[in-house]
């Protein structure tokens, strides 16, 4: 089928080492030349795709996360989580997952979550005699929650590409995110209890818990403010990002007094850098999907699906397997931008809820982040610890299985994803 | 998946770079940093405008009608002004699981191929972007929304991005060729070297 030939050729091109944005643009451009003899007004298509008001949320959420990291507001988060979990077997591992879960609701990025929490948590766990593989696995997997628990950069991109409600996607990610965090915690506790070589402390008193909560009040307030504002219908996703960024500035400048003009400038620089990286890929993907549409590839895909009589679940399973394989080699943003526009007509034809599919896609992309050979969180842990990659992969492997189980649950019971959006929107 | 070249393989800052190439590198870095500074300002302007817009809408119930349009239009500016800096810092994402194994001449060829691919994109942005902008100007297209500004002015950001990418690409090609030449001459000078391409990028 033509779509597979195109995807395989694109993959081969990307494997030759060209930047993804260039590979997508060139391949799309070459297809345009082959099919219509000229490029047409392709930059106009790119211009209109990049200039989307909703996309402004990406640099602003990035700015918010950078300010919170530079302001060291999240440093207290780990201590607070540990205060609550220190009596459990593997208390530090559980605290790490909890801290990742809360930080995920601030950062919107898996790599940022793994890097920020990992830098604090891994040395602590190793100091207290935790198995290296457990320590690496917990941070790698906990970090992946960054893109599932809102705000989420990939969800924004998916929402913009498929015209799906970003608020709906954000809400759809909350329960699966909490389920995944719960499953990770359960696994960490069971594995720690079975190994039985870790120190445990006595349970924190109520007073200690209150003090810990007060210390991390501001970091916990951020997601409540941003997401609460969106769900209450006060902010749009973009306004929520701006309001969150302003709140981060207020907290770090006036309360923590840890952020100055330099930090603001550097945070804005980081935000501009990340946006350029993402939006150049978006531009390339726009060229690519534009030509696929011109070639009627999505329509052909729909026709093939109808002929194959896969049904909704069959289609979703086929897509998830394909994305799982792609995720081993490609970066999550590229996967979203390459696949979503192609399969959108098929989704519409089969009556698949785009919020449900979007959340499944993001869970799948979470797995991609900890599966070799290309897993961004694996590289992040490697960068933090300089540990052998084999050990990091071995530590992360059980979490891939857990994510797979949760994904199967989400496919079997779409209401886990759709219940909250249906209640709140 | 990572950035295109690790620092150890990068010829940037090579101690033996010839003087003209060093000057060119400094010039390109200055230009790219200037553009990147403007992109950073755009992010801060967006933050300010959206913050003001939220306050105006919800606190004084007088919404700023044009702020959404401006921040949306700023995205092309941020992308095109910051992309050259990301390229200079080798920050664009690429699939390098196979190419990072390459050594010697093959590694050089891969670097050149990668640069040529980006060069082709830059040329597409310049020429196609220019014709698109001029066409919009000819038929008098305006932005959608309250402001109704001439669209071609904003569309010119695409060829501008291409123009800014060009010197970075040329610099990277020149640096790669320089490293290639110096590696070849090192090998010629010491024919007993057995570790072929060990100093190659």
């Amino acid at each position: 089928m033509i779509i597979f030939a195109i995807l395989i050729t694109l993959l081969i091109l990307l494997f030759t080492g060209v930047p993804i944005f260039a590979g997508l643009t060139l391949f799309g451009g070459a297809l345009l030349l082959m099919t219509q003899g000229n490029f047409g007004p392709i930059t106009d298509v790119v211009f209109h795709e990049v200039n989307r008001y909703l996309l402004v949320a990406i640099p602003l959420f990035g700015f918010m996360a950078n300010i919170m990291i530079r302001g060291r507001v999240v440093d207290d988060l780990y201590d607070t989580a540990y205060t609550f979990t220190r009596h459990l077997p593997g208390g530090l591992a559980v605290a790490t997952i909890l801290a990742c879960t809360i930080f995920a609701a601030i950062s919107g990025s898996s790599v940022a979550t793994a890097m920020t929490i990992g830098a604090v948590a891994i040395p602590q766990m190793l100091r207290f005699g935790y198995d290296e593989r457990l320590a690496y696995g917990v941070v790698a997997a906990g970090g992946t929650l960054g893109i599932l628990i809102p705000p989420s950069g990939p969800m924004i991109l998916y929402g913009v590409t498929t015209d799906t409600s970003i608020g709906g996607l954000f809400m759809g990610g909350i329960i699966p995110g909490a389920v995944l965090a719960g499953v990770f915690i359960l696994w960490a506790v069971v594995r720690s209890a079975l190994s039985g070589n870790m120190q445990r402390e006595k349970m924190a008193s109520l007073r200690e818990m209150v003090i810990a909560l007060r210390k991390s009040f501001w970091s916990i307030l951020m997601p409540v403010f941003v997401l609460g504002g969106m769900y209450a219908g006060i902010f749009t996703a973009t306004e929520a990002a701006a309001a969150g960024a302003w709140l981060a500035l207020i907290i770090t400048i006036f309360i923590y007094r840890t952020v100055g003009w330099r930090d603001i400038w550097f945070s804005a620089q980081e935000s501009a850098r990340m946006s350029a990286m993402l939006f150049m890929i978006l531009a390339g993907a726009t060229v690519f999907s534009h030509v696929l549409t011109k070639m009627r590839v999505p329509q052909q895909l729909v026709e093939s699906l109808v002929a194959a009589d896969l049904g909704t679940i069959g289609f979703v399973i086929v897509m998830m397997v394909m994305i799982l394989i792609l995720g081993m080699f490609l970066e999550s943003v590229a996967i979203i931008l390459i696949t979503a526009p192609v399969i959108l007509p098929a989704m519409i034809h089969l009556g698949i809820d785009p919020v449900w599919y979007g959340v499944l896609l993001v869970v799948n992309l979470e797995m991609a982040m900890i599966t070799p050979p290309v897993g961004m969180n694996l590289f992040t842990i490697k960068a933090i610890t300089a540990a052998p990659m084999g050990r990091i992969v071995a530590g992360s492997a059980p979490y891939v299985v857990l994510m797979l189980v949760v994904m199967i649950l989400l496919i079997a019971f779409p209401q886990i994803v759709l219940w909250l959006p249906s209640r709140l929107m | 998946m990572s950035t295109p070249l690790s620092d150890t393989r990068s010829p940037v800052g090579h101690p033996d770079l010839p003087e003209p190439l060093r000057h060119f590198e400094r010039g390109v870095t200055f230009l790219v940093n200037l553009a990147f500074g403007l992109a950073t300002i755009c992010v801060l302007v967006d933050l300010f405008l959206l913050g003001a817009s939220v306050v105006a809408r919800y606190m004084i119930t007088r919404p700023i009608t044009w702020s959404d349009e401006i921040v949306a239009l700023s995205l092309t500016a941020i992308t095109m002004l910051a992309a050259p800096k990301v390229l200079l810092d080798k920050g664009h994402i690429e699939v390098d699981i196979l190419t990072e194994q390459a050594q010697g001449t093959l590694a050089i060829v891969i670097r050149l191929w990668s640069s040529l691919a980006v060069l082709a994109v830059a040329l597409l942005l310049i020429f196609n972007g220019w014709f698109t902008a001029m066409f919009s100007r000819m038929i008098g297209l305006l932005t959608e929304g309250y402001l109704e500004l001439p669209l071609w002015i904003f569309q010119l950001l695409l060829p501008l991005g291409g123009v800014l990418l060009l010197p970075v690409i040329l610099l990277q090609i020149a640096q790669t060729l320089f490293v290639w030449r110096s590696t070849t001459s090192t090998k010629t000078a010491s024919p007993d070297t057995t570790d072929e391409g060990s100093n190659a990028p």
Side-chain angles (χ1 to χ4, degrees), chain A residues 162-206:
Chain A
T162 59
D163 270 336
T164 305
S165 156
I166 290 169
L169 284 166
F170 279 6
M171 279 184 258
I174 290 178
I175 294 179
V179 170
L180 259 183
V183 171
F184 290 169
I185 287 172
L186 203 63
W187 171 253
V189 170
V190 170
R191 193 182 179 290
S192 306
L194 289 176
S195 63
N197 61 348
M198 282 159 229
Q199 296 176 20
R200 284 169 65 179
E201 291 186 42
K202 65 171 186 162
M203 192 171 173
S205 65
L206 188 64

Side-chain angles (χ1 to χ4, degrees), chain A residues 19 31 53 60 66 69 79 87 109 135 145 164 170 221 253 257 266 284 314 319 323 355 380-381 421 425:
Chain A
L31 286 176
Y53 173 67
L60 295 184
N66 274 311
I69 294 168
D79 291 339
H87 59 286
S109 152
L145 295 170
T164 305
F170 279 6
L221 177 75
I253 293 173
R257 296 168 194 264
F266 286 133
M319 280 313 299
I323 287 165
V355 171
T380 306
I381 308 293
M425 292 195 77

